Coordinates of all heavy atoms in Angstrom, one line a residue:
M144 N -33.8 3.1 -5.2 CA -34.9 2.9 -4.3 C -34.8 4.0 -3.3 O -35.9 4.6 -2.9 CB -34.7 1.6 -3.5 CG -35.7 1.4 -2.4 SD -35.4 -0.1 -1.7 CE -37.1 -0.5 -1.1
F145 N -33.7 4.5 -2.8 CA -33.6 5.6 -1.8 C -33.0 6.8 -2.6 O -32.0 6.7 -3.4 CB -32.7 5.3 -0.6 CG -33.3 4.1 0.2 CD1 -32.6 2.9 0.2 CD2 -34.5 4.3 1.0 CE1 -33.1 1.9 0.9 CE2 -34.9 3.2 1.7 CZ -34.2 2.1 1.7
D146 N -33.5 8.0 -2.3 CA -33.1 9.2 -2.9 C -32.3 10.1 -1.9 O -33.0 10.5 -0.9 CB -34.3 10.0 -3.5 CG -33.9 11.4 -3.9 OD1 -32.7 11.6 -4.4 OD2 -34.8 12.2 -3.9
C147 N -31.0 10.1 -2.1 CA -30.3 10.9 -1.1 C -30.6 12.3 -0.9 O -30.6 12.8 0.2 CB -28.7 10.9 -1.5 SG -28.0 9.3 -1.7
Q148 N -31.1 12.9 -1.9 CA -31.6 14.3 -1.7 C -32.9 14.5 -1.0 O -33.3 15.6 -0.6 CB -31.7 15.0 -3.1 CG -30.3 15.2 -3.6 CD -30.3 16.0 -5.0 OE1 -31.1 15.7 -5.8 NE2 -29.4 16.8 -5.1
S149 N -33.6 13.4 -0.6 CA -34.7 13.5 0.1 C -34.5 12.8 1.5 O -35.3 12.4 2.3 CB -35.9 12.9 -0.5 OG -35.8 11.5 -0.7
C150 N -33.2 12.4 1.7 CA -32.9 11.7 3.0 C -31.8 12.5 3.8 O -32.1 13.3 4.7 CB -32.3 10.4 2.7 SG -31.9 9.4 4.1
G151 N -30.5 12.3 3.5 CA -29.5 13.0 4.2 C -29.1 12.4 5.6 O -28.3 12.9 6.3
A152 N -29.8 11.2 5.9 CA -29.4 10.5 7.2 C -28.0 10.2 7.4 O -27.4 10.5 8.6 CB -30.2 9.4 7.3
C153 N -27.3 9.8 6.4 CA -25.9 9.4 6.6 C -25.0 10.7 6.9 O -23.9 10.5 7.5 CB -25.4 8.7 5.1 SG -25.4 9.8 3.8
C154 N -25.4 11.8 6.5 CA -24.7 13.0 6.7 C -25.0 13.6 8.1 O -24.5 14.7 8.5 CB -24.9 14.1 5.6 SG -24.5 13.4 4.0
S155 N -25.9 13.0 8.8 CA -26.3 13.5 10.1 C -26.5 12.3 11.0 O -27.5 12.2 11.8 CB -27.6 14.2 9.9 OG -28.0 14.9 11.1
Y156 N -25.5 11.5 11.1 CA -25.6 10.2 11.8 C -24.5 10.2 12.9 O -24.9 9.8 14.1 CB -25.3 9.0 11.0 CG -25.2 7.7 11.6 CD1 -26.4 7.2 12.2 CD2 -24.1 7.0 11.8 CE1 -26.3 5.9 12.9 CE2 -23.9 5.9 12.5 CZ -25.2 5.3 13.0 OH -25.1 4.1 13.7
S157 N -23.3 10.5 12.7 CA -22.3 10.6 13.7 C -21.1 11.5 13.4 O -20.6 11.6 12.3 CB -21.7 9.1 13.8 OG -20.6 9.0 14.7
A158 N -20.7 12.2 14.4 CA -19.6 13.1 14.3 C -18.2 12.4 14.0 O -17.3 12.9 13.5 CB -19.5 14.1 15.5
D159 N -18.3 11.1 14.4 CA -17.1 10.4 14.2 C -17.0 9.7 12.8 O -16.0 9.1 12.4 CB -17.0 9.2 15.2 CG -16.8 9.7 16.7 OD1 -16.1 10.8 16.8 OD2 -17.4 9.1 17.5
W160 N -18.1 9.7 12.0 CA -18.1 9.0 10.7 C -17.5 9.8 9.6 O -16.7 9.1 8.8 CB -19.6 8.6 10.4 CG -19.7 7.7 9.2 CD1 -19.1 6.5 9.1 CD2 -20.3 8.0 8.0 NE1 -19.5 6.0 7.8 CE2 -20.1 6.9 7.2 CE3 -21.0 9.1 7.5 CZ2 -20.7 6.9 5.8 CZ3 -21.6 9.0 6.2 CH2 -21.4 7.9 5.4
P161 N -17.7 11.0 9.4 CA -17.1 11.7 8.2 C -15.7 11.9 8.3 O -15.2 13.1 8.5 CB -18.0 12.9 8.1 CG -18.4 13.2 9.5 CD -18.6 12.0 10.2
R162 N -14.9 10.9 8.5 CA -13.3 11.0 8.7 C -12.6 10.8 7.5 O -13.0 10.0 6.6 CB -12.9 10.0 9.8 CG -13.5 10.2 11.2 CD -13.0 11.4 11.8 NE -13.8 12.0 12.8 CZ -14.1 13.2 13.1 NH1 -13.7 14.2 12.4 NH2 -14.8 13.5 14.2
F163 N -11.6 11.6 7.4 CA -10.7 11.4 6.2 C -9.8 10.1 6.5 O -9.3 10.0 7.6 CB -9.8 12.7 6.2 CG -10.5 13.9 6.0 CD1 -10.1 15.1 6.6 CD2 -11.7 14.1 5.3 CE1 -10.7 16.3 6.4 CE2 -12.4 15.2 5.2 CZ -11.9 16.3 5.8
S164 N -9.6 9.4 5.5 CA -8.8 8.2 5.6 C -8.0 7.8 4.3 O -6.8 7.7 4.4 CB -9.6 6.9 5.9 OG -10.7 6.8 5.0
T165 N -8.6 7.9 3.2 CA -7.9 7.5 2.0 C -7.7 8.6 1.1 O -7.1 8.5 0.0 CB -8.7 6.4 1.2 OG1 -10.0 6.9 0.9 CG2 -8.8 5.1 2.1
E166 N -8.1 9.8 1.4 CA -7.8 11.0 0.6 C -6.4 11.4 0.5 O -5.7 11.3 1.5 CB -8.6 12.2 1.0 CG -10.2 12.0 1.1 CD -10.7 11.2 2.3 OE1 -9.9 10.8 3.2 OE2 -11.9 10.9 2.3
D167 N -6.0 11.9 -0.6 CA -4.7 12.5 -0.7 C -4.7 13.9 -0.5 O -5.7 14.6 -0.2 CB -4.0 12.1 -2.0 CG -4.8 12.7 -3.3 OD1 -5.3 13.9 -3.1 OD2 -4.7 12.2 -4.3
D168 N -3.6 14.5 -0.3 CA -3.5 16.0 0.2 C -4.1 16.9 -0.8 O -4.8 17.9 -0.4 CB -2.1 16.4 0.3 CG -1.3 15.8 1.6 OD1 -2.1 15.3 2.4 OD2 -0.1 15.8 1.5
E169 N -4.1 16.6 -2.1 CA -4.7 17.4 -3.0 C -6.3 17.4 -3.0 O -7.0 18.4 -3.0 CB -4.4 16.9 -4.5 CG -5.0 17.7 -5.7 CD -4.5 17.2 -7.0 OE1 -3.4 16.8 -7.2 OE2 -5.3 17.2 -7.9
Q170 N -6.9 16.2 -2.7 CA -8.3 16.1 -2.4 C -8.6 16.9 -1.2 O -9.6 17.7 -1.1 CB -8.7 14.7 -2.1 CG -8.7 13.7 -3.3 CD -9.1 12.4 -2.8 OE1 -8.2 11.7 -2.4 NE2 -10.3 12.0 -3.1
L171 N -7.9 16.8 -0.1 CA -8.2 17.5 1.2 C -8.0 19.0 0.9 O -8.8 19.7 1.6 CB -7.3 17.0 2.3 CG -7.5 15.5 2.6 CD1 -6.5 15.1 3.6 CD2 -9.0 15.3 3.1
D172 N -7.1 19.4 0.2 CA -6.9 20.9 0.0 C -8.1 21.6 -0.7 O -8.2 22.7 -0.6 CB -5.6 21.1 -0.7 CG -4.3 20.8 0.1 OD1 -4.5 20.8 1.3 OD2 -3.3 20.8 -0.6
R173 N -8.8 20.8 -1.5 CA -9.9 21.4 -2.1 C -11.2 21.5 -1.3 O -12.1 22.3 -1.6 CB -10.3 20.5 -3.4 CG -9.4 20.6 -4.5 CD -9.9 19.9 -5.7 NE -10.2 18.5 -5.5 CZ -9.6 17.4 -6.0 NH1 -8.5 17.5 -6.6 NH2 -10.2 16.3 -5.8
I174 N -11.3 20.8 -0.2 CA -12.4 21.1 0.8 C -12.3 22.3 1.5 O -11.3 22.6 2.1 CB -12.5 19.8 1.8 CG1 -12.6 18.5 1.0 CG2 -13.6 20.1 2.8 CD1 -12.6 17.2 1.9
P175 N -13.2 23.2 1.4 CA -13.2 24.5 2.1 C -12.9 24.3 3.5 O -13.6 23.5 4.2 CB -14.5 25.1 1.9 CG -15.1 24.4 0.6 CD -14.5 23.0 0.7
E176 N -12.1 25.1 4.1 CA -11.7 25.0 5.4 C -12.8 25.1 6.5 O -12.8 24.4 7.5 CB -10.6 26.1 5.8 CG -10.0 26.1 7.2 CD -8.9 27.2 7.3 OE1 -8.3 27.6 6.4 OE2 -8.8 27.6 8.6
K177 N -13.8 25.9 6.2 CA -15.0 26.0 7.1 C -15.7 24.8 7.4 O -16.4 24.6 8.3 CB -15.9 27.2 6.7 CG -16.7 26.8 5.4 CD -17.6 27.9 5.0 CE -18.4 27.6 3.8 NZ -19.4 28.6 3.5
F178 N -15.4 23.8 6.4 CA -16.2 22.4 6.5 C -15.3 21.4 7.2 O -15.6 20.2 7.4 CB -16.6 22.0 5.3 CG -17.7 22.7 4.7 CD1 -17.5 23.3 3.4 CD2 -18.8 23.1 5.3 CE1 -18.6 24.1 2.8 CE2 -19.9 23.9 4.8 CZ -19.7 24.4 3.5
V179 N -14.0 21.7 7.5 CA -13.0 20.8 8.1 C -13.0 20.9 9.6 O -12.9 22.0 10.1 CB -11.7 20.9 7.4 CG1 -10.7 20.1 8.0 CG2 -11.8 20.8 5.9
S180 N -12.9 19.8 10.3 CA -12.8 19.9 11.7 C -11.5 20.5 12.2 O -10.5 20.5 11.5 CB -12.9 18.4 12.3 OG -11.8 17.7 11.9
V181 N -11.6 21.0 13.4 CA -10.4 21.8 13.9 C -9.1 20.9 13.9 O -8.0 21.4 13.7 CB -10.7 22.2 15.5 CG1 -9.5 22.9 16.0 CG2 -11.8 23.2 15.3
D182 N -9.2 19.6 14.3 CA -8.1 18.7 14.3 C -7.7 18.1 13.0 O -6.9 17.3 12.9 CB -8.3 17.6 15.3 CG -9.4 16.6 15.0 OD1 -10.0 16.7 13.9 OD2 -9.6 15.7 15.8
L183 N -8.4 18.6 11.9 CA -8.2 18.2 10.5 C -8.4 16.7 10.2 O -8.0 16.2 9.2 CB -6.7 18.6 10.0 CG -6.4 20.1 10.3 CD1 -4.9 20.2 9.9 CD2 -7.3 20.9 9.6
S184 N -9.1 16.0 11.1 CA -9.4 14.6 10.9 C -10.6 14.1 10.1 O -10.6 13.0 9.6 CB -9.5 13.9 12.2 OG -10.7 14.3 12.8
G185 N -11.4 15.2 9.8 CA -12.6 14.9 9.0 C -13.5 16.1 8.8 O -12.9 17.2 9.1
M186 N -14.6 15.9 8.5 CA -15.5 17.0 8.3 C -15.9 17.5 9.6 O -16.1 16.9 10.6 CB -16.7 16.5 7.5 CG -16.5 16.0 6.1 SD -15.8 17.2 5.0 CE -17.2 18.4 4.8
R187 N -16.1 18.9 9.6 CA -16.6 19.5 10.9 C -18.1 19.3 11.1 O -18.9 19.2 10.0 CB -16.5 21.1 10.8 CG -16.8 21.9 12.1 CD -16.6 23.3 12.0 NE -17.3 24.0 10.9 CZ -18.5 24.4 10.9 NH1 -19.3 24.2 12.1 NH2 -19.1 25.1 9.9
C188 N -18.6 18.9 12.2 CA -19.9 18.5 12.5 C -20.5 19.4 13.5 O -19.8 19.9 14.4 CB -20.1 17.1 12.9 SG -19.7 15.9 11.6
E189 N -21.8 19.7 13.4 CA -22.6 20.4 14.5 C -23.3 19.3 15.1 O -24.3 18.9 14.6 CB -23.4 21.5 13.8 CG -22.5 22.5 13.1 CD -23.2 23.4 12.1 OE1 -24.5 23.2 12.0 OE2 -22.6 24.2 11.3
G190 N -22.9 18.9 16.3 CA -23.5 17.7 16.9 C -23.1 16.5 16.0 O -21.9 16.3 15.9
V191 N -24.1 15.8 15.5 CA -23.7 14.6 14.7 C -24.0 15.0 13.2 O -23.7 14.1 12.3 CB -24.7 13.4 15.0 CG1 -24.4 12.9 16.3 CG2 -26.1 13.7 14.8
R192 N -24.3 16.2 12.9 CA -24.5 16.6 11.5 C -23.4 17.3 10.8 O -22.8 18.2 11.3 CB -25.8 17.7 11.6 CG -26.2 18.1 10.2 CD -27.3 19.1 10.4 NE -27.7 19.8 9.2 CZ -28.8 19.5 8.5 NH1 -29.7 18.8 9.1 NH2 -29.1 20.2 7.4
C193 N -23.1 16.7 9.6 CA -22.0 17.4 8.9 C -22.3 18.7 8.6 O -23.4 19.2 8.1 CB -21.8 16.6 7.6 SG -20.5 17.2 6.6
S194 N -21.4 19.7 8.6 CA -21.6 21.1 8.4 C -21.8 21.5 7.0 O -22.4 22.5 6.7 CB -20.4 21.9 9.0 OG -19.2 21.6 8.3
A195 N -21.4 20.5 6.1 CA -21.7 20.7 4.6 C -23.2 20.4 4.3 O -23.6 20.7 3.1 CB -20.8 19.9 3.8
L196 N -24.0 19.8 5.1 CA -25.3 19.3 4.8 C -26.2 20.5 5.1 O -26.2 21.1 6.0 CB -25.7 18.1 5.7 CG -27.1 17.5 5.5 CD1 -27.2 16.8 4.1 CD2 -27.5 16.6 6.7
S197 N -27.0 20.7 4.0 CA -28.1 21.8 4.1 C -29.5 21.0 4.0 O -29.5 20.0 3.5 CB -28.0 22.9 3.1 OG -28.2 22.3 1.8
G198 N -30.6 21.6 4.5 CA -31.9 21.2 4.4 C -32.2 20.3 5.7 O -31.6 20.3 6.6
E199 N -33.4 19.6 5.5 CA -34.0 18.9 6.7 C -33.9 17.4 6.3 O -34.4 16.9 5.3 CB -35.4 19.3 6.7 CG -36.1 18.6 8.0 CD -37.5 19.1 8.3 OE1 -38.0 20.0 7.7 OE2 -38.2 18.4 9.0
V200 N -33.2 16.6 7.2 CA -33.1 15.3 7.0 C -34.5 14.5 6.9 O -35.4 14.8 7.6 CB -32.3 14.6 8.3 CG1 -32.3 13.1 8.1 CG2 -30.9 15.1 8.3
G201 N -34.6 13.6 5.9 CA -35.8 12.9 5.7 C -36.7 13.7 4.8 O -37.8 13.1 4.4
K202 N -36.5 14.9 4.5 CA -37.4 15.7 3.6 C -36.6 16.1 2.4 O -37.0 15.7 1.3 CB -37.8 17.0 4.4 CG -38.5 16.6 5.7 CD -39.8 17.3 5.8 CE -40.4 16.8 7.1 NZ -41.7 16.5 7.1
H203 N -35.7 17.1 2.5 CA -35.0 17.5 1.3 C -33.6 18.1 1.8 O -33.5 18.9 2.7 CB -35.6 18.8 0.7 CG -34.9 19.3 -0.5 ND1 -34.8 18.5 -1.7 CD2 -34.1 20.4 -0.7 CE1 -34.0 19.2 -2.6 NE2 -33.6 20.3 -1.9
T204 N -32.4 17.4 1.4 CA -31.2 17.8 1.7 C -30.3 18.0 0.5 O -30.6 17.5 -0.5 CB -30.5 16.7 2.7 OG1 -30.5 15.5 1.9 CG2 -31.4 16.6 3.9
A205 N -29.2 18.5 0.8 CA -28.0 18.7 -0.3 C -26.7 18.8 0.4 O -26.6 19.3 1.6 CB -28.3 19.9 -1.1
C206 N -25.7 18.4 -0.2 CA -24.3 18.6 0.2 C -23.8 19.7 -0.4 O -23.7 19.9 -1.7 CB -23.5 17.3 -0.2 SG -21.7 17.4 0.2
G207 N -23.3 20.7 0.4 CA -22.7 21.9 0.0 C -21.2 21.7 -0.8 O -20.8 22.6 -1.3
I208 N -20.6 20.5 -0.7 CA -19.4 20.2 -1.3 C -19.5 19.0 -2.1 O -18.4 18.2 -2.2 CB -18.3 20.3 -0.3 CG1 -18.4 19.2 0.7 CG2 -18.0 21.7 0.3 CD1 -17.2 18.8 1.5
Y209 N -20.6 18.6 -2.7 CA -20.8 17.3 -3.3 C -19.7 16.9 -4.1 O -19.2 15.7 -4.0 CB -22.2 17.3 -4.1 CG -22.5 16.0 -4.6 CD1 -22.9 15.0 -3.7 CD2 -22.3 15.6 -5.9 CE1 -23.4 13.7 -4.2 CE2 -22.5 14.4 -6.4 CZ -23.1 13.5 -5.5 OH -23.3 12.2 -6.0
D210 N -19.2 17.7 -5.0 CA -18.1 17.3 -5.9 C -16.8 17.1 -5.2 O -15.9 16.5 -5.8 CB -18.0 18.3 -7.1 CG -19.2 18.3 -8.1 OD1 -19.9 17.2 -8.1 OD2 -19.6 19.4 -8.7
L211 N -16.6 17.7 -4.1 CA -15.4 17.7 -3.3 C -15.4 16.8 -2.1 O -14.5 16.6 -1.4 CB -15.0 19.1 -2.8 CG -15.0 20.2 -3.9 CD1 -14.8 21.5 -3.2 CD2 -13.9 19.9 -5.0
R212 N -16.6 16.1 -1.9 CA -16.8 15.3 -0.7 C -15.7 14.3 -0.5 O -15.2 13.7 -1.5 CB -18.3 14.8 -0.6 CG -18.5 13.6 -1.7 CD -20.0 13.4 -1.8 NE -20.3 12.2 -2.7 CZ -20.1 12.2 -4.0 NH1 -19.7 13.3 -4.6 NH2 -20.5 11.0 -4.6
P213 N -15.5 13.9 0.7 CA -14.5 13.0 1.1 C -14.8 11.5 0.6 O -16.0 11.2 0.4 CB -14.2 13.0 2.5 CG -15.4 13.8 3.1 CD -16.0 14.4 2.0
D214 N -13.8 10.6 0.7 CA -14.1 9.3 0.2 C -15.1 8.5 0.9 O -15.9 7.8 0.4 CB -12.8 8.5 0.1 CG -11.8 9.0 -0.9 OD1 -12.3 9.7 -1.8 OD2 -10.6 8.7 -0.8
V215 N -15.2 8.8 2.2 CA -16.1 8.0 3.1 C -17.6 8.3 2.8 O -18.5 7.5 2.7 CB -15.9 8.4 4.7 CG1 -16.2 9.7 5.0 CG2 -16.7 7.3 5.4
C216 N -17.8 9.6 2.2 CA -19.1 10.0 1.8 C -19.3 9.3 0.4 O -20.4 8.9 0.2 CB -19.1 11.5 1.6 SG -18.8 12.3 3.2
R217 N -18.4 9.3 -0.5 CA -18.6 8.7 -1.7 C -18.9 7.1 -1.6 O -19.6 6.5 -2.4 CB -17.3 8.8 -2.6 CG -17.2 10.3 -2.9 CD -15.8 10.4 -3.6 NE -15.5 11.8 -3.8 CZ -15.8 12.6 -4.8 NH1 -16.6 12.1 -5.8 NH2 -15.6 13.9 -4.9
A218 N -18.4 6.6 -0.5 CA -18.5 5.0 -0.4 C -19.9 4.7 0.2 O -20.3 3.5 0.0 CB -17.5 4.6 0.7
C219 N -20.6 5.6 0.7 CA -22.0 5.3 1.4 C -23.0 5.4 0.2 O -23.2 6.3 -0.4 CB -22.3 6.3 2.3 SG -23.9 5.9 3.1
M220 N -23.4 4.1 -0.1 CA -24.3 3.9 -1.3 C -25.8 3.9 -0.9 O -26.1 3.2 0.1 CB -23.9 2.7 -2.2 CG -22.5 2.8 -2.7 SD -22.1 4.2 -3.6 CE -23.2 3.9 -5.0
P221 N -26.7 4.5 -1.6 CA -28.1 4.3 -1.3 C -28.5 2.9 -1.1 O -28.2 2.0 -2.0 CB -28.9 4.9 -2.5 CG -27.8 5.9 -3.0 CD -26.5 5.2 -2.8
G222 N -29.1 2.5 0.0 CA -29.5 1.2 0.3 C -28.5 0.3 0.8 O -28.7 -0.9 1.2
G223 N -27.2 0.7 0.9 CA -26.1 0.0 1.5 C -26.2 -0.1 3.0 O -27.1 0.5 3.7
D224 N -25.4 -1.0 3.6 CA -25.5 -1.2 5.1 C -25.4 0.3 5.8 O -26.1 0.5 6.8 CB -24.4 -2.1 5.6 CG -24.7 -3.5 5.1 OD1 -25.8 -3.9 4.9 OD2 -23.7 -4.3 5.2
D225 N -24.5 1.1 5.5 CA -24.2 2.4 6.2 C -25.5 3.3 6.0 O -26.0 3.9 7.0 CB -23.0 3.1 5.6 CG -21.8 2.5 5.9 OD1 -21.7 1.7 6.9 OD2 -20.7 2.7 5.2
C226 N -26.1 3.3 4.8 CA -27.3 4.0 4.5 C -28.4 3.6 5.4 O -29.1 4.3 6.1 CB -27.6 3.9 3.0 SG -29.2 4.4 2.5
L227 N -28.6 2.2 5.4 CA -29.7 1.7 6.1 C -29.6 1.9 7.7 O -30.6 2.2 8.3 CB -29.9 0.2 5.9 CG -30.2 -0.2 4.5 CD1 -30.4 -1.6 4.3 CD2 -31.5 0.6 3.9
M228 N -28.4 1.8 8.2 CA -28.0 2.1 9.6 C -28.5 3.5 9.9 O -29.1 3.8 11.0 CB -26.7 1.8 9.9 CG -26.3 2.0 11.4 SD -24.6 1.5 11.7 CE -23.7 2.4 10.6
A229 N -28.0 4.4 9.1 CA -28.2 5.9 9.3 C -29.8 6.2 9.2 O -30.3 6.9 10.0 CB -27.5 6.7 8.4
R230 N -30.5 5.6 8.2 CA -31.9 5.9 8.1 C -32.6 5.2 9.3 O -33.6 6.0 9.8 CB -32.4 5.1 6.8 CG -31.9 5.8 5.5 CD -32.4 5.2 4.3 NE -33.9 5.2 4.2 CZ -34.6 6.3 3.7 NH1 -34.0 7.3 3.3 NH2 -35.9 6.1 3.8
A231 N -32.3 4.1 9.7 CA -33.0 3.5 10.9 C -32.7 4.5 12.2 O -33.7 4.7 12.9 CB -32.4 2.1 11.2
A232 N -31.5 5.0 12.3 CA -31.2 5.9 13.5 C -32.2 7.2 13.5 O -32.5 7.7 14.5 CB -29.8 6.3 13.5
H233 N -32.6 7.5 12.3 CA -33.4 8.8 12.1 C -34.9 8.3 12.1 O -35.8 9.2 11.8 CB -33.1 9.5 10.9 CG -31.9 10.4 11.1 ND1 -31.9 11.6 11.6 CD2 -30.6 10.1 10.8 CE1 -30.7 12.1 11.8 NE2 -29.8 11.3 11.3
G234 N -35.2 7.1 12.1 CA -36.6 6.6 12.1 C -37.2 6.7 10.5 O -38.5 6.7 10.5
L235 N -36.3 6.6 9.6 CA -36.7 6.5 8.3 C -36.9 5.2 7.8 O -36.2 4.3 8.3 CB -35.7 7.4 7.4 CG -35.5 8.8 7.8 CD1 -34.3 9.5 6.9 CD2 -36.8 9.6 7.6
A236 N -37.7 4.9 6.8 CA -38.0 3.5 6.2 C -36.7 2.9 5.8 O -35.8 3.7 5.2 CB -39.0 3.6 5.1
V237 N -36.5 1.7 6.0 CA -35.2 1.0 5.6 C -35.6 0.0 4.5 O -34.7 -0.7 4.1 CB -34.5 0.4 6.7 CG1 -33.9 1.5 7.7 CG2 -35.4 -0.7 7.5
S238 N -36.8 0.0 4.0 CA -37.1 -1.1 2.9 C -38.2 -0.4 2.0 O -38.8 0.6 2.3 CB -37.7 -2.3 3.6 OG -38.8 -2.1 4.3

């Protein structure tokens, strides 16, 4: 129902959300340093927007590290609670 590549709201919702929690060291080592926050706790954000996100939220977006993205990003499913909360925050349709 929801197409992530025409949304991106979850990647531009909160600087506190893209945090590392269940990743092992090998997973974290693969994420390019320029996308990791200074305190190494999660993804670097510009305001509330993940630095790995390109494009315009609600129009066309892409993840610059899709294959390497952290577990919290993998857990956010189209139409799930996190997705709908982020979409609503951006004024995007939730149904």
